Amino acid sequence: MIPTLYKTFQHWSETGSVYILSDLHFADDDCKQMDPEWIEPEEQIQRINEMVMKADTFVCLGDVGNAKYLADIKARKKILLLGNHDNRADYKDYFQEIYTGPLFIADKILLSHEPVHGLPWCLNIHGHDHNQVEPYADGCKYLNLAANVCGYRPVNLGKLIKGGILADITSIHRMTIDRAIARKEARDRGESMAQDKI
């Protein structure tokens, strides 16, 4: 169990690990034009199944491609965040849960298809960008899991968390408290300065 996850999502890890990957683009011919080294769906499935076991949950952050390959992923549970190339109707028989748009699964973890900017208080795990993205940009922390960027291998969410990936992120709650304290201190200094003038 991953206790960091909001209660709503803890069932993802109740029997095994949670693995995340994005932009599979199974059998999408455009991918070869974008990246001549793009691997075939069968090889992608093999790499996924080398890590994902039958008791695990597999989360795809969008742009699946041909749905027929999904049946070969061993995971007990499959979750999808729709990408810009996805149609919910094409995948409803293959995923137990389908979400539209970004999804906060913990205080400091945002899953999305495309990177979400301007949130320095969370880790944004995303795909969509098929080039490596700076892990820190515009004050935010990102992890790009587009398949071709991470070697077509899903990432174990529990291991990421245990490895300390969230340690240097200040929660929004702490940021709010710190701002309130700073405002109070500024007011107190202003009040004492006013009293000094009397």
Side-chain angles (χ1 to χ4, degrees):
M1 184 71 73
I2 303 176
T4 308
L5 298 180
Y6 289 140
K7 190 169 185 151
T8 306
F9 303 106
Q10 285 185 351
H11 71 276
W12 291 2
S13 63
E14 66 191 359
T15 64
S17 297
V18 177
Y19 286 92
I20 305 174
L21 189 59
S22 187
D23 296 271
L24 308 172
H25 288 285
F26 289 140
D28 184 348
D29 293 334
D30 290 342
C31 289
K32 289 280 191 190
Q33 293 173 10
M34 177 182 58
D35 181 353
E37 304 297 316
W38 197 275
I39 65 175
E40 295 301 320
E42 295 80 8
E43 188 174 347
Q44 283 193 59
I45 295 293
Q46 180 182 345
R47 290 187 188 190
I48 291 168
N49 285 340
E50 286 171 1
M51 302 177 80
V52 177
M53 300 293 123
K54 289 183 179 179
D56 296 335
T57 295
F58 177 74
V59 179
C60 179
L61 300 179
D63 289 358
V64 177
N66 189 324
K68 76 176 187 176
Y69 295 99
L70 292 166
D72 295 330
I73 295 175
K74 291 190 286 191
R76 167 187 69 93
K77 189 172 293 206
K78 296 172 190 160
I79 313 296
L80 173 64
L81 270 70
L82 292 169
N84 58 301
H85 292 284
D86 297 330
N87 179 343
R88 180 185 292 267
D90 295 340
Y91 304 113
K92 63 181 177 51
D93 295 334
Y94 298 93
F95 290 95
Q96 286 76 27
E97 299 172 34
I98 299 177
Y99 297 93
T100 304
L103 186 65
F104 277 101
I105 61 169
D107 281 346
K108 296 182 181 181
I109 303 173
L110 173 67
L111 301 181
S112 62
H113 175 62
E114 299 170 337
V116 177
H117 302 285
L119 303 175
W121 42 268
C122 70
L123 167 66
N124 178 204
I125 302 174
H126 66 88
H128 185 66
D129 191 331
H130 292 280
N131 299 304
Q132 185 59 288
V133 174
E134 290 296 318
Y136 287 93
D138 65 15
C140 302
K141 187 171 186 177
Y142 300 95
L143 179 60
N144 183 0
L145 294 182
N148 66 309
V149 171
C150 60
Y152 306 92
R153 296 185 190 284
V155 170
N156 182 311
L157 180 61
K159 286 184 180 177
L160 276 179
I161 294 168
K162 285 180 183 173
I165 196 164
L166 304 175
D168 59 347
I169 300 173
T170 303
S171 79
I172 191 169
H173 305 293
R174 181 78 254 161
M175 291 170 74
T176 303
I177 291 166
D178 290 347
R179 279 195 304 266
I181 291 169
R183 282 194 303 272
K184 181 184 181 317
E185 289 172 351
R187 277 194 311 271
D188 290 348
R189 282 191 307 274
E191 289 174 14
S192 65
M193 288 176 11
Q195 288 174 355
D196 291 341
K197 290 181 183 179
I198 296 178

